[in-house]
Amino acid sequence: MVSTPMGCDSVLFISLDSCRYDTFAAASSADVIPNLQAVAPLHRAQAPSHFTYGSHAAFWMGFTPGVAESDQPLINPKAGKLFRMAFAGHGGSDRNGFELQGANLIEGFRHRGYRTIGSGAVEWFNPATPTGAVLGQPFDRFQFAGNTWSLARQLAWIEAELSRTPTGQPVFLFLNVGETHVPYWYEGAPWPQRPSPCVAFGGEACDAVESARRQLACLEWVDQQLAGLLARFSRSTILICADHGDCWGEDGLWEHGISHAATLTVPLLLRVRGQPVVRDNSI
Ligand SMILES: [Zn+2]
């Protein structure tokens, strides 16, 4: 079945949980993530926080990952935001951005007549806990996947939600992908789910090389799964980033939830109303 393409006003926001910048760059160089690469050029960006809640709470206020050394709007939200909440910080130059009003960007899109749909894979999106209920609460429809290896079920749920959206109504769709989060595993992966090669505070099972290999293989698998969704939003706005990275033994540190260049450096790809956002002064 061929899905109807979304219109240019719709928005797809994907957070690849814990995906390191160097994982994404290596996968790009190896040409194993063609669908993600087709969205836009890769930017080396800084995340607003080093753990899931912190970064997504910032995202909801329009503070998405950016390239700190660039003064180009959208590439650096400090210069101009893609999602601009009224009265939130310095105005900047928001060319082609979305101006939104409300308590967060999801509410802002709803006020503009959008249907807001979200799906989260990690526990910070689990509505069974008071803390986990916060990030998903603003959406018209929200799914918590239940574990970090549920992308196929998440995409099936999203497909059903999109099919229920009235023709012509724009969509704000958020997807948090868990396969790139520890233990770096996907359904059908040719390696055991446990032990994870990356655990907090290190230990016997920790292996930086294996962590890199498995996260890249997960990203490659995720790319294949996302092909249809990315194609469907190709005329729309697409923001793809990680919420944070992971430490793999740098300075003796492992995993995330700790402030370090390895947890704060993330991939960023941006496409606005069908047009890839290219850095003016690309290096
Ligand atoms: Zn996360």
Side-chain angles (χ1 to χ4, degrees), residues 112-129:
R112 286 178 59 151
Y114 283 61
R115 184 166 154 83
T116 59
I117 302 167
S119 176
V122 308
E123 280 292 320
W124 280 108
F125 294 101
N126 185 352
T129 67

Side-chain angles (χ1 to χ4, degrees), residues 196-222:
S196 170
C198 173
V199 294
F201 303 106
E204 285 285 297
C206 282
D207 183 331
V209 172
E210 191 61 12
S211 292
R213 190 185 74 79
R214 291 188 190 185
Q215 191 178 58
L216 192 152
C218 285
L219 185 63
E220 181 177 355
W221 180 86
V222 165

Side-chain angles (χ1 to χ4, degrees), residues 17-18 51-53 56 122 124 176 181 243-244 256:
D17 210 292
S18 311
F51 74 115
T52 303
Y53 182 89
H56 286 85
V122 308
W124 280 108
N176 166 252
H181 186 280
D243 53 346
H244 52 77
H256 55 270

Side-chain angles (χ1 to χ4, degrees), residues 139-160:
F139 289 86
D140 292 318
R141 296 282 295 154
F142 194 83
Q143 175 204 39
F144 170 57
N147 57 49
T148 61
W149 44 85
S150 294
L151 184 54
R153 275 196 303 112
Q154 291 178 279
L155 292 172
W157 180 86
I158 285 169
E159 181 64 34

Side-chain angles (χ1 to χ4, degrees), residues 24 43 114 134 196 211 239 258:
F24 201 106
H43 306 289
Y114 283 61
V134 177
S196 170
S211 292
L239 170 59
I258 41 177

Side-chain angles (χ1 to χ4, degrees), residues 1-280:
M1 188 186 81
V2 177
S3 300
T4 311
M6 306 303 292
C8 65
D9 288 335
S10 286
V11 178
L12 172 62
F13 187 164
I14 299 177
S15 65
L16 302 165
D17 210 292
S18 311
C19 185
R20 284 175 53 132
Y21 171 80
D22 55 4
T23 295
F24 201 106
S28 294
S29 298
D31 274 334
V32 295
I33 50 170
N35 299 300
L36 289 164
Q37 279 184 280
V39 171
L42 171 64
H43 306 289
R44 185 177 187 274
Q46 285 77 47
S49 182
H50 50 68
F51 74 115
T52 303
Y53 182 89
S55 278
H56 286 85
F59 295 169
W60 285 185
M61 297 297 150
F63 286 74
T64 49
V67 179
E69 61 272 26
S70 170
D71 61 0
Q72 185 178 335
L74 307 186
I75 296 287
N76 183 357
K78 181 73 175 171
K81 290 181 176 57
L82 177 63
F83 306 125
R84 167 100 197 126
M85 299 307 303
F87 316 118
H90 180 260
S93 173
D94 305 336
R95 63 182 184 193
N96 297 325
F98 294 85
E99 293 191 357
L100 303 165
Q101 295 197 17
N104 50 64
L105 64 89
I106 301 110
E107 193 177 300
F109 276 111
R110 202 169 62 239
H111 287 163
R112 286 178 59 151
Y114 283 61
R115 184 166 154 83
T116 59
I117 302 167
S119 176
V122 308
E123 280 292 320
W124 280 108
F125 294 101
N126 185 352
T129 67
T131 50
V134 177
L135 291 173
Q137 188 276 331
F139 289 86
D140 292 318
R141 296 282 295 154
F142 194 83
Q143 175 204 39
F144 170 57
N147 57 49
T148 61
W149 44 85
S150 294
L151 184 54
R153 275 196 303 112
Q154 291 178 279
L155 292 172
W157 180 86
I158 285 169
E159 181 64 34
E161 290 297 326
L162 290 177
S163 72
R164 284 193 204 106
T165 303
T167 305
Q169 183 179 15
V171 166
F172 174 78
L173 173 60
F174 167 74
L175 170 62
N176 166 252
V177 173
E179 278 78 1
T180 44
H181 186 280
V182 290
Y184 314 131
W185 191 81
Y186 60 86
E187 281 191 351
W191 63 84
Q193 190 184 93
R194 306 282 181 191
S196 170
C198 173
V199 294
F201 303 106
E204 285 285 297
C206 282
D207 183 331
V209 172
E210 191 61 12
S211 292
R213 190 185 74 79
R214 291 188 190 185
Q215 191 178 58
L216 192 152
C218 285
L219 185 63
E220 181 177 355
W221 180 86
V222 165
D223 180 87
Q224 294 161 14
Q225 307 304 305
L226 292 178
L229 189 66
L230 294 174
R232 194 167 181 181
F233 279 79
S234 62
R235 300 190 308 187
S236 313
T237 294
I238 304 177
L239 170 59
I240 299 173
C241 64
D243 53 346
H244 52 77
D246 272 333
C247 284
W248 289 336
E250 292 93 348
D251 298 311
L253 300 172
W254 289 89
E255 230 234 18
H256 55 270
I258 41 177
S259 189
H260 188 278
T263 60
L264 296 174
T265 308
V266 295
L268 169 67
L269 294 87
L270 189 54
R271 186 178 184 92
V272 177
R273 298 180 180 87
Q275 297 300 313
V277 176
V278 179
R279 202 168 156 188
D280 291 339

